[in-house]
Amino acid sequence: MQHIEPGTRALVLAGGGAAGNAWELGLVAGLAEGGVDVTDADVVIGTSAGATVAAQVTSGTSAAGLYAAVLAESPSVPGAQAPRGTARDVGDGPRHGPARRVSGATYLEWSDAVIAAAEDASDMRRRMGAAALQRDSSGGADAARWRDVVAGRLPSLSWPQQRVLIAAVDARTGEPVVFDRDSGVALADAVAASTSAMTPYRIGDGWYINGGYRRSENADLATGSERVLVLSPFGGRSRMPTAWRMDLASQVQDLRAAGSRVQTVFPDAGAGDVFDANALDPSTRQQAARGGYAQGRSLAGSVAGLWH
């Protein structure tokens, strides 16, 4: 059994598109307003859109400032939506829900076919990486453009002093990858890799795809922490077969079996119906952020029981 470090706390930030990013920022700000600063976690784990949040909330910028920035955005803020013909910040989201104004349905159809053909999780990762590599005809130009978008979202391009883990998958081998400040990879590159989906992201000689294909929320990376708080925009749902144990429920079960205390938080009705195919739509961000903020304030007492 993994050794549990007394007093250690992990914040897990899952993927969820433009809406999920805004909801998580709002929630963290609402918790802070309620007296619970979860950004002081011993380890912050980010996946896909949650990787962006991880870099944002550990940058030294206040949660209130990040929340205010979302509310100040134009609905067509540059970088809030994926580049045309690609899908970013999505990972292992739900398959159901209408396609509204964005390429979410195209992405879901493409990735669902890859998942359906796979024998297990490792096979799925290999197939997903191969399919993404096959789609990329830009010679790395798309990756360069995506880095600029990601870098523009981050208050700081330097890794923070506290421990931040960002999940991705090696597109060539299908092997899970976890970046941190000791990986020799720039923060913006790590986040860009974790948020890439239909086309891969290049770092040096390597190519990477979305961290949600490693495992849904990647809460298992918190193993060894005494207390774990998981923010999951997609409500713990997974498109992968249950037998693969990539879903959040399986990860929470394993964490608790190892001795961790775990609390999960999912969006409530206040965030709006924005966590399906249209989670990529930037027009969802302000409602999602406001819903997250109100939810964070209302949950501060129960989260304080875990965090403090």
Side-chain angles (χ1 to χ4, degrees):
M1 180 178 293
Q2 176 78 27
H3 176 68
I4 300 295
E5 292 290 339
T8 53
R9 299 169 299 179
L11 174 63
V12 179
L13 300 161
N21 169 275
W23 174 75
E24 290 180 344
L25 290 173
L27 187 75
V28 170
L31 288 171
E33 177 66 20
V36 185
D37 179 11
V38 296
T39 69
D40 64 357
D42 298 287
V43 58
V44 179
I45 297 160
T47 301
S48 194
T52 307
V53 179
Q56 289 169 323
V57 301
T58 59
S59 66
T61 303
S62 70
L66 293 167
Y67 172 60
V70 176
L71 298 185
E73 290 174 356
S74 163
S76 59
V77 60
Q81 187 174 353
R84 184 173 179 82
T86 66
R88 308 285 187 174
D89 282 356
V90 280
D92 181 24
R95 65 159 51 89
H96 59 278
R100 306 177 205 168
R101 303 189 302 184
V102 292
S103 59
T106 300
Y107 164 73
L108 292 175
E109 291 167 358
W110 173 82
S111 54
D112 277 350
V114 177
I115 294 167
E119 297 180 357
D120 54 31
S122 295
D123 185 42
M124 179 276 297
R125 295 185 192 103
R126 287 191 295 269
R127 289 174 179 268
M128 199 68 72
L133 286 166
Q134 188 174 21
R135 283 185 59 91
D136 183 34
S137 60
S138 71
D142 182 58
R145 287 191 295 269
W146 185 239
R147 189 189 194 281
D148 290 342
V149 170
V150 169
R153 296 174 176 176
L154 306 183
S156 171
L157 298 182
S158 299
W159 286 92
Q161 289 302 310
Q162 73 191 103
R163 192 178 183 211
V164 173
L165 305 179
I166 295 177
V169 171
D170 188 311
R172 286 177 170 166
T173 67
E175 289 298 310
V177 176
V178 180
F179 297 113
D180 63 15
R181 64 178 296 110
D182 298 321
S183 298
V185 169
L187 178 62
D189 285 322
V191 174
S194 188
T195 52
S196 290
M198 289 180 80
T199 55
Y201 183 78
R202 183 175 182 175
I203 303 176
D205 294 328
W207 295 86
Y208 302 90
I209 57 172
N210 197 282
Y213 296 126
R214 180 193 175 276
R215 210 168 176 186
S216 299
E217 286 76 6
N218 289 302
D220 60 296
L221 295 177
T223 300
S225 299
E226 181 183 45
R227 289 164 278 172
V228 182
L229 178 65
V230 183
L231 308 189
S232 177
F234 285 132
R237 292 171 290 174
S238 175
R239 293 186 294 136
M240 309 298 174
T242 304
W244 294 0
R245 303 194 84 250
M246 292 184 68
D247 60 292
L248 178 59
S250 296
Q251 297 170 61
V252 171
Q253 181 182 38
D254 292 345
L255 284 168
R256 288 174 174 160
S260 297
R261 293 174 56 197
V262 184
Q263 183 172 348
T264 59
V265 181
F266 307 146
D268 63 14
D273 182 20
V274 295
F275 297 102
D276 292 308
N278 63 328
L280 299 177
D281 189 338
S283 70
T284 63
R285 284 176 57 79
Q286 293 184 0
Q287 182 177 356
R290 289 190 178 98
Y293 182 78
Q295 194 175 357
R297 291 187 65 180
S298 68
L299 290 174
S302 66
V303 173
L306 172 79
W307 210 247
H308 296 159

